[in-house]
Structures are given as C-alpha cells and as structure tokens.
Amino acid sequence: MDYQDIIRDWKQQKFKSLYWLEGEEDFFIDQVTSYAEHELLPEAERGFNLTVLYGKDTDWSTVINACRRYPMFAERQVVLLKEAQAMRDLLKLEAYIDNPLSSTIFVVAHKQGKIDGRSKMAKLIKDKGVLLSTKKLYDNQLPAWAESYVSSRGLAISQKAAILLVDHIGNDLSRIANEIDKLLVNLPAQKKIDEGDIEKYVGISKEYNVFELQNAVGQKNTAKVFKIIAYFAANPKAAPIQMTLPALYNFFAKVNLIFSVKGAEKEVAAALGVHPFFVKDYMNAARQYGPEGTEKAILLLHQYNLRSIGINDSGVEDGELMKELMYKVMN
C-alpha cells in the first residue's frame, strides 16, 4: 500500500486502528500525516478528538494513554505521533499495538529509517495495522513522478518541462511538489505546463541550464557550450560550478557505461538508470567521444573539480575555468 492508497481509503471512510509510516522519503510520510491532522476529523471535532505528540517530547505511557482514551461526542479519535524515531522506549508501544482500541486511529510517523523487520514490533504492525515503508526515488524516476503529481492535480506537463524542473531541483520531492503547486496557482485550468512556464514561474532558463549544457557538450556544439558558459559566468547563481562539474561528471560516467552495454535503447536506459528520454543524448555522446575521449573527459572533470575548490589552482575565475575545461574536453 502506498500513501495515496491510505488517503483514498480514508476518503472512503475505511479505517484501521494503526498506520505505521517509516522510511527514507519524508514527502510520502508528510502527505499522510498532514491529511490525518487536517482532514480526518471535521474541524469542530479536532479540539476534542485530535492529539498530536512528538517523539522527542513524549514517552510511551503518554502515547498509550492518549490512544486508550475514548472519543468525545464522536465515533473516533486520531492520535498522531510525529518524529517517532526520537522517542525513547518506542518498543514499549507493543502492548497497545497488540490490542488497539477500535475507536482510535493511531498514526505513527517514523522517519529516517525503519524498525527491524525481524522484531516483534514489526510483526505486530503488519498483523494489526497498515505499514507504509518509503524509500527515495531513483533520479531517473523523478520526471515520471513529477508528471504523475501534476496529473493528480488535474493538469499535464510536457516531458521536457518535467525533466527541466527535476534536473534543477534534484531529488527533493517536497520542493518539486511545492514548485508544481505554485505553478498551478498561476496557470489557467486545463493548460499543459511547458518549458516557458518553468522558466517564467520557477526561474529556470530553458536555454541556459546544466541540462542544456550537458546536451551541447555531448554533441560537441562548441558555440552553444561557450554561450551557456558565458551566461553562467554572468549569472553565478544560475548554475554554480560546484553543481555543474558533478553533473557533467555523472553524464560522462553514464556515457562510459554504454561501451559495455548491449541491446536496444530500452536496455541501455535500464543499464544507465536514466529516463528513456535521455538515452539518445547519451548514445550520441558515446559516438562523438568514443571510449578514449570519454575517459579523457572524466579525468579532466575530476581534475577541474579539484581546481574549483582551490586544489592545484592559482585562483582562476569559475567562468574561465569552465572555458578552459570545455575546450580540452571537446578537442
């Protein structure tokens, strides 16, 4: 069961006595806890029947006492335990989980890891309640996730716009969702979000970004590469060198993998761990550079990454450093 399944059940008035939310991806946990706190009960009932506790500020006996309290003037109450990973004696909740009160919806948010799946607690959770175990999405899954999130809000987004957005933000679902929500406020209903919208409302240039630089380098499009670098030099916050160099390094590292992969584009995408939309760019770069040129680019990027942080460098400006590097990579 994923976080959307839990919320869908709640909307249909289907409840369990326990919901244990754990794992690495805070966004999914936050979506469920936010709904539990603000939507599960009518506003008039929250003052009587909603209890929000924090692991670092509470103890097991307080949590159990709250869960065993009967709701006031209502069918059910909600007890929400946030930051459960910070609570001492968390395992002492076993007694309540083994025999929960049917009129209490107990929601536990356990971030930054999971409890031992072999423990008695884990077995009780699976037997008595609903377990949501989250993990970080892989980078190649982010554009599809962004498209799905936009779709759930009743709009659509072009594939390139989704890629541009997540490439700029990185693997942070909360920030991606926040930027999408801001877009939806500014755009008319039924509009398909495109690159122009991303540029206008998110502040990412659709022509001058790391994604476009990567493509231009892969194509050995010298004019475009130096045009983008000049823009970066004039706008240092648009793409700091400390962000640009690792991105290019990862690009060439994936290009290097192509030389050992056999199969069609679909197989190459799976081997590289990238969205299929990108595959042609990587394959084209492999043809442009060959094994030796790719290895040379990787070594140069490592060398210039060290120079960018002051190792073996005499204080050259970032823009000049990038120009020097790109000239050597493409020649």
Side-chain angles (χ1 to χ4, degrees):
M1 178 174 284
D2 65 23
Y3 82 98
Q4 292 173 318
D5 293 327
I6 293 173
I7 294 173
R8 190 179 302 114
D9 279 355
W10 285 349
K11 288 179 178 179
Q12 297 173 358
Q13 299 294 296
K14 298 176 182 177
F15 305 108
K16 296 284 187 179
S17 297
L18 170 69
Y19 294 87
W20 187 280
L21 322 172
E22 66 177 23
E24 303 167 352
E25 183 49 72
D26 292 353
F27 176 81
F28 300 135
I29 295 173
D30 289 341
Q31 291 291 295
V32 177
T33 54
S34 178
Y35 193 95
E37 185 172 358
H38 301 291
E39 304 293 340
L40 269 185
L41 298 175
E43 187 174 358
E45 292 184 16
R46 290 174 207 155
F48 297 106
N49 294 312
L50 172 65
T51 303
V52 180
L53 302 169
Y54 291 84
K56 63 181 179 180
D57 299 323
T58 193
D59 55 49
W60 65 274
S61 61
T62 301
V63 175
I64 290 179
N65 287 336
C67 289
R68 291 208 180 280
R69 183 176 67 84
Y70 285 95
M72 295 180 65
F73 315 113
E75 292 183 14
R76 62 184 64 87
Q77 69 156 340
V78 174
V79 176
L80 178 55
L81 175 59
K82 297 183 177 182
E83 300 173 6
Q85 73 279 359
M87 193 180 93
R88 294 183 179 182
D89 299 326
L90 183 65
L91 294 180
K92 288 189 176 180
L93 296 180
E94 285 180 3
Y96 176 77
I97 292 174
D98 191 32
N99 186 28
L101 201 65
S102 61
S103 57
T104 295
I105 301 173
F106 183 29
V107 181
V108 181
H110 185 285
K111 296 182 177 180
Q112 303 168 15
K114 305 175 183 180
I115 62 167
D116 188 343
R118 300 165 296 179
S119 66
K120 180 182 177 182
M121 172 80 90
K123 293 173 183 176
L124 283 173
I125 291 167
K126 292 177 183 178
D127 184 45
K128 302 289 184 175
V130 173
L131 171 65
L132 174 66
S133 184
T134 71
K135 62 180 181 179
K136 283 281 187 184
L137 297 182
Y138 294 112
D139 288 350
N140 64 306
Q141 296 175 306
L142 295 175
W145 184 87
E147 291 176 36
S148 175
Y149 186 83
V150 172
S151 178
S152 73
R153 296 299 188 268
L155 271 79
I157 184 170
S158 72
Q159 192 173 56
K160 194 164 185 180
I163 292 168
L164 183 62
L165 178 65
V166 302
D167 186 66
H168 173 73
I169 294 175
N171 199 334
D172 187 334
L173 298 191
S174 295
R175 281 191 61 206
I176 294 171
N178 185 54
E179 292 296 342
I180 289 172
D181 290 341
K182 288 195 294 185
L183 276 167
L184 301 187
V185 170
N186 289 288
L187 295 175
Q190 306 304 315
K191 185 185 187 306
K192 186 171 186 176
I193 300 169
D194 58 28
E195 298 153 73
D197 298 319
I198 299 297
E199 182 175 30
K200 182 176 180 180
Y201 295 110
V202 183
I204 310 167
S205 172
K206 64 181 179 180
E207 295 181 19
Y208 302 102
N209 56 73
V210 175
F211 174 63
E212 290 298 326
L213 175 62
Q214 177 179 289
N215 285 346
V217 173
Q219 296 164 8
K220 289 192 175 182
N221 186 336
T222 306
K224 187 174 181 180
V225 167
F226 286 104
K227 187 177 179 181
I228 294 173
I229 288 173
Y231 177 85
F232 288 171
N235 301 272
K237 292 183 180 180
I241 194 169
Q242 291 78 16
M243 179 182 78
T244 304
L245 293 180
L248 290 173
Y249 185 91
N250 289 334
F251 174 76
F252 276 103
K254 287 183 170 63
V255 171
N256 196 45
L257 284 174
I258 289 177
F259 302 116
S260 59
V261 175
K262 295 181 180 179
E265 288 185 7
K266 185 176 180 181
E267 286 74 23
V268 174
L272 269 57
V274 301
H275 192 282
F277 182 85
F278 289 113
V279 172
K280 289 183 180 178
D281 295 328
Y282 288 99
M283 295 181 75
N284 179 60
R287 288 190 291 270
Q288 290 282 350
Y289 287 87
E292 290 184 5
T294 301
E295 185 176 348
K296 171 188 168 185
I298 291 171
L299 292 172
L300 283 168
L301 283 160
H302 177 67
Q303 176 188 340
Y304 276 75
N305 187 52
L306 293 176
R307 288 184 62 183
S308 74
I309 58 175
I311 298 174
N312 300 322
D313 187 73
S314 56
V316 179
E317 291 289 332
D318 289 350
E320 292 303 315
L321 204 61
M322 284 296 299
K323 288 180 185 178
E324 184 181 317
L325 168 62
M326 290 297 96
Y327 179 81
K328 290 181 178 180
V329 166
M330 293 187 292
N331 289 282

